[in-house]
Structures are given as structure tokens and as C-alpha cells.
Amino acid sequence: MRNPDRLWQHYVLALSVFLSLILAMYWLNTSVRARGIVATDGIEASNDQVLRVQSILDNAEQLNLQNIDAIADYNMSISQFEIAHFALHKALSGQADDRATQDQRIRSFTDLARNMTAGPTDTRGVTLQQMHALYDPGGLLDDLLMVAPLIAKQLEAETAFFTQLQKLLFGVSALVVLIEALFVFWPAQYAVQTAYIKMKRQTNVLRRSQTRLTQVNRRLKHLVNHHPLTELPNRTSLEAFLETAIRNQKSADWQLYLVGIDDFKTINDMLGHAYGDALLIAVSRALKGCVDYDDIVAHVGSDEFVLTSAEAAPAVLRRIKDALKAAFDVKGRRISIHASIGHVAIGTQVRAPMHIVADAATALQFAKSEGGDRTQEFTQDLRQDSHLMQKMQFDLREAIEKGEIEPWFQPQVRLSDGKLHGAEVLARWRHPTRGLIMPDVFLPAAQRAGLMIELDHAVWKSAMALAYEWQISKVWHPVISLNAAPDTISDPQLIERFLLALRLSGLEADQVVIEVLETTLINGNDDMAAINIDSLAECGIALELDDFGTGYASLAKLIQLPLAGLKLDRSLIAPLPDRAADSVVRAILALASELGLHVVAEGVELATQAAHLNDRGCGVGQGYGFGRPMPAKEFAIWLALNAAKSVHAEQEMPVVAHRT
């Protein structure tokens, strides 16, 4: 019952027992039939024996009367009598002891019968008398007559024995059948029933599982074709939709719009992903109402949505902007967003749907690179620019590994005495085929490719190594200013990597200044950036706020962050000594003095600007008036000529090709 798979063993055992009983019954019946045949043959032999004895006596009478022809019959009768006697022995094999006297008489009789023909003829009468004496009633005749009843009695006894044996076999058979019924067939039937019930139960479970599996498959099919968060069609559904539309020539007047939320990562970082997800759901609901029911609104990226419509593009764009203009109520908070939109005409030309989306993505990236919150239609010129940007991103990664991004140095001079204060490190790309590439060309590519961190560290490491060479060669005791991108300042590994590079370079902490952009402070919700700035200051690294005065930095940040100085943007220096510009500069210098911050003025190109700034209390000047950015070899020559003497700005603005 515990092992239904072994039922065949029970059935084999039961079949073996039944087969044994059948064979026993067959043997019993065969034995009874054989004994019956032997008994019948014995009775016939007994009767034949009597007849043969009588025949012997009759032929003996004839021989006594000198009838020579009777000898053959006489001898044949004796032989047949002996054969009959042998048959009686077989029939009465179990009665040998009871027939000893009879056998003695028969042997004596047969001996007399044979002696009758063997002896003299005159003795035949005597022999005949002796034979009659043995045969007469009370002698051999009685013995021969009682053989048949004896055989019958023996057959009756054997029949009774076989009958008892047969009853015993029937009883054993009945007992075996009962035992097998109780211990084989019933358990087997019970096991089969149990297995059947279990199988039926499992069938029901499988049926329920199949139902759940169908539901899961339906859900999976939905997930394959829809975004799990917003439930909008996903990229797969969009691709199938566009393929069908293009194949059926329905897309002749259609436009595809790719909507991307500006600075969505900042929302996630500031409020958390729960608010970001809720905002995406709210935006998806708003966009559903911007197109007709037979168009599609798909969610194809983290914060990107695709819409299609046959309406005129200005009407659809206006509707999308209006839908996203009002603040969204998300988990009890009002969140305002801006979105950039790239759109492209689908047309009826047979092409891959994702190529159409890629064109819209190119337009979207251009819209975002122009400041965001704007729309841009795709053109072939954008595609060409995109390809160039992608190639530059690919080449830039290899250029960083090969050391093609090299540091250039621009001197910073104390305005009070013209002595060299330090040098700002600027990045230049010396491309093997395109020549020198300026930062305004390759930095956007580095930002899009996520390479700013590696680029900064590569430039820093190279610049610090060069500065240490100038130090040990007694050319200059360097102080270098390193520009740090917002991504670099927010890098969790910044401190470890920078301090290791600084220690390996041989410079001291007070010989390096880190310049932080105002945009880093604006996006200062990143806790990691604030932690890194504090950690750098604790390690003795001076930090300066770059491009100050362009109208972005919060004055509260000047108090909260451990800054050592400010760098006035060149846009404030160029108009000097204009009265309005002078007022702003004086206000900033006064604020810096109150906060204990030193000030570096960028873009100083004339002696009058340098003198004016010095009069207002600005400590350091930097610009083409003192020296343009130079590669390391050229800057080393400049150092040899100017490091030990005073450097003064030019009286007239120098003519230069680049001012980056």
C-alpha cells in the first residue's frame, strides 16, 4: 500500500500460488486416473489368471492322455499365466506381505506344470494329481478368486486417500484465496484506489495550476508588451504598432513625438524613487489625453514616452506642453516638471521602427543639450551631428586610455606685485588625425558618454606629475588649480583616488586647489558631493568656486561649504572699468572679504583691468594679459623666463585664436 509501484510483485506471487495449486490438482487427478487403470488391469489379469490355470489343467489332462498336440497350448497357457501373475504383482504392489502364501502356491503350481512336460510321461498322472491338489477349493483356486476383491479393496482405499487429499487441496486453495484476497488483492485494490484518488486530486491541482498558469501567461504577455509601472505599451508594442502602420500605408501624415522629462534623475535623488514612479504614472495619464484613441502612447524609457498622431505637429506639441505645464499632485506634494520633445515625420518609407525612434531620440538629445524645456524636429543635419558626437565619444574613451588628453597650464599672477601665484590646469585633446581639439568640443561628448570622472583623474594625475618635475628641478614651487566636473565631485571614490594620486605625485596638499563649478552647488542635493567637499577640506585641499557671478550660486552655499576662494567669471571682468560692472565686482569683493575668501579674477587681458582689480582689493588675476593656456613644454619655458620676476598685463588686448 505504501509502494503501489510494487504491486506487480504481489500479483506474481498470487499467480505462482494459483499455478502451484492447479498443478497439484492436475497431479492428483492424474494419479487417481492412473491407479484406476492399474486396478482395472489387475482385475482383468486376475480373471485371466483363473482362466489360464484352468487352461493349464485342461491341457495337462490332454497330456496325461498322451495328446502330443496339446503341448504347445500347454506351454503358452503357462507363459500367459505368469504374465497375468506379473500384472497382479503391479496392481497389488502395496500387498506383497499378504500374498506371500499365494505366491508360494503359484510358484509350486507353475513348477509342477513345467515338470509335467519335462519329466517322464509315466509320472504325468501323479503330477496332474498334485496340480489338482494345489488348485482344488481351499487351495490355489481360492487364492486366485480373492485377488479381484483385494484389488477392489485396495482401489477403494486409494480412492479414499486421494479424496482426502483432494479435499485438503481444496481447503488449502480456499485458504490461499482468502489470504491473497486479504493480503494481496484487497491491498492492491486499496492501493490502486488510493493512487486513483491521489491522481484525481493531483489532476485537480494541475487543473488549478493550469488555470493559474494561463493567468500568469496572460500577465506575462501583458508585461512583455506593456511597461510594468505605467501599464502603457512598451518598446515592443510600439515597434509592432509602427510596423503595422507602415506596412498598411497609414503613416503618411503621422508624426512621432519622443517626450523626455528634464532632470528626472534629480527628482529621484531629491524625493526618492517612490515619488519618481508616482510622477511617471501621473505623466503617463496626462499624455494619454494628448492623442486620439487610435494613436499610441508608449513608455519606452525610464522617463521617456512616445506618442504618434496624424494631426499637425504644432497642435500636438502645444497640447503636450499644456498637459505637462501644471504641477502634478504626487503623494501630497506638488511637483512641477519641464519636458523636452523630439519629433520626426514617420512617412511611408519602409524602414525599421526603431530607426524612427532613434531619429526622434537624436532630436530629443539636441533639445536637452540646448538647455531643455524645448522642442526639436529631426533633420538630417542633426543625424550627422549625432554621428559625429557618437564617434567622438568612442574616440574619447580610447584617447583617455592612451593619454591623448593632456594638461595645459595658464598662469595666475598676484595683482599686487606681479609674482606668479599658481596655474590653472586646463584639458586639451591632441587628436592623432584631427589635431588639437578644444574643451568646448569634446567635454559635451565626455559628459554624454559618462567619461568626465575618468577624464578629470587622467588630467589631474598627469598635471601633478609635471608639477612635481618642475619642483624637483627648482624651476618653480608649484600651486596648481584642478577643475572638477559635478560628476567627479559626486563620485563616491573621489577621496581615495585623489589622495592616492596626490601621494604618488610627491606634491603636498597645500599645492593643489580644486575648482568646483557653480552648477555643482546648484545641484547640491547630492549628499555625496557635500561629503566629498567636506572631506577634501579636512585633508587640507583648498576649494574654489569657479565662474562665480553668473547668477546661479546661492549665497547660503558660500556659508555652508568650506570654500577657500572665489573665481570671478570673465563676463564680470571684461566690461571693467564700467561703473555697473565695477559695482558688482566691488560688492563681490566685499562679500568675499567678510567671509575670508580670496578672489581670483578670470579673463584679465589688459593692464587697466589688472590695475582696477588691484585697487578694489582683488588678490589674483588670470587671463591672456598674463599668459595664455600653454602645453607643458611651452609652460616650462614660460616658467624659466617669468617664475622669478614680476609679470604685468599687456597694455593692449593680445590677438589670440581661442579663449577657452
Side-chain angles (χ1 to χ4, degrees), residues 130-300:
Q130 291 175 348
M131 291 172 62
H132 275 288
L134 287 173
Y135 179 73
D136 286 340
L140 181 60
L141 178 61
D142 291 342
D143 291 338
L144 295 177
L145 291 177
M146 75 175 211
V147 170
L150 186 62
I151 293 175
K153 182 180 179 181
Q154 180 179 339
L155 180 61
E156 183 179 354
E158 290 179 350
T159 302
F161 170 75
F162 282 120
T163 301
Q164 292 297 326
L165 185 59
Q166 191 175 37
K167 290 180 179 179
L168 178 61
L169 285 176
F170 276 119
V172 171
S173 300
L175 181 61
V176 168
V177 169
L178 178 61
I179 292 174
E180 290 183 343
L182 291 176
F183 296 100
V184 178
F185 293 104
W186 181 82
Q189 180 66 18
Y190 178 80
V192 170
Q193 289 294 332
T194 303
Y196 173 75
I197 294 172
K198 184 178 180 180
M199 188 180 300
K200 188 175 181 181
R201 189 181 301 114
Q202 290 176 342
T203 301
N204 294 332
V205 172
L206 289 174
R207 188 176 291 113
R208 290 192 297 269
S209 299
Q210 186 178 14
T211 302
R212 289 195 298 269
L213 184 61
T214 302
Q215 296 172 351
V216 170
N217 287 337
R218 190 179 300 115
R219 176 61 180 168
L220 287 175
K221 185 177 180 180
H222 179 79
L223 290 176
V224 167
N225 294 283
H226 294 80
H227 195 280
L229 177 64
T230 59
E231 298 292 329
L232 290 178
N234 60 10
R235 189 180 296 271
T236 302
S237 294
L238 175 65
E239 186 174 0
F241 178 83
L242 293 177
E243 284 180 349
T244 302
I246 294 172
R247 184 170 57 251
N248 296 334
Q249 300 292 312
K250 292 182 178 181
S251 58
D253 300 325
W254 281 11
Q255 287 268 339
L256 183 143
Y257 303 87
L258 181 60
V259 181
I261 302 175
D262 296 334
D263 297 323
F264 180 72
K265 182 179 182 300
T266 302
I267 296 174
N268 265 340
D269 294 340
M270 291 176 58
L271 303 179
H273 289 279
Y275 280 91
D277 291 345
L279 177 62
L280 290 176
I281 294 173
V283 170
S284 67
R285 292 171 180 170
L287 292 177
K288 284 182 180 180
C290 296
V291 294
D292 294 336
Y293 71 93
D294 55 345
D295 294 318
I296 190 173
V297 178
H299 191 174
V300 297

Side-chain angles (χ1 to χ4, degrees), residues 25-70:
M25 293 294 293
Y26 174 77
W27 171 81
L28 182 61
N29 292 331
T30 302
S31 298
V32 171
R33 191 163 53 249
R35 293 305 297 169
I37 293 173
V38 171
T40 302
D41 291 344
I43 293 172
E44 291 179 354
S46 176
N47 295 330
D48 186 58
Q49 191 177 31
V50 174
L51 294 177
R52 296 307 173 193
V53 171
Q54 188 63 45
S55 176
I56 291 171
L57 292 174
D58 290 342
N59 289 325
E61 291 287 347
Q62 292 296 323
L63 289 175
N64 190 37
L65 297 176
Q66 302 298 321
N67 185 357
I68 302 304
D69 297 333

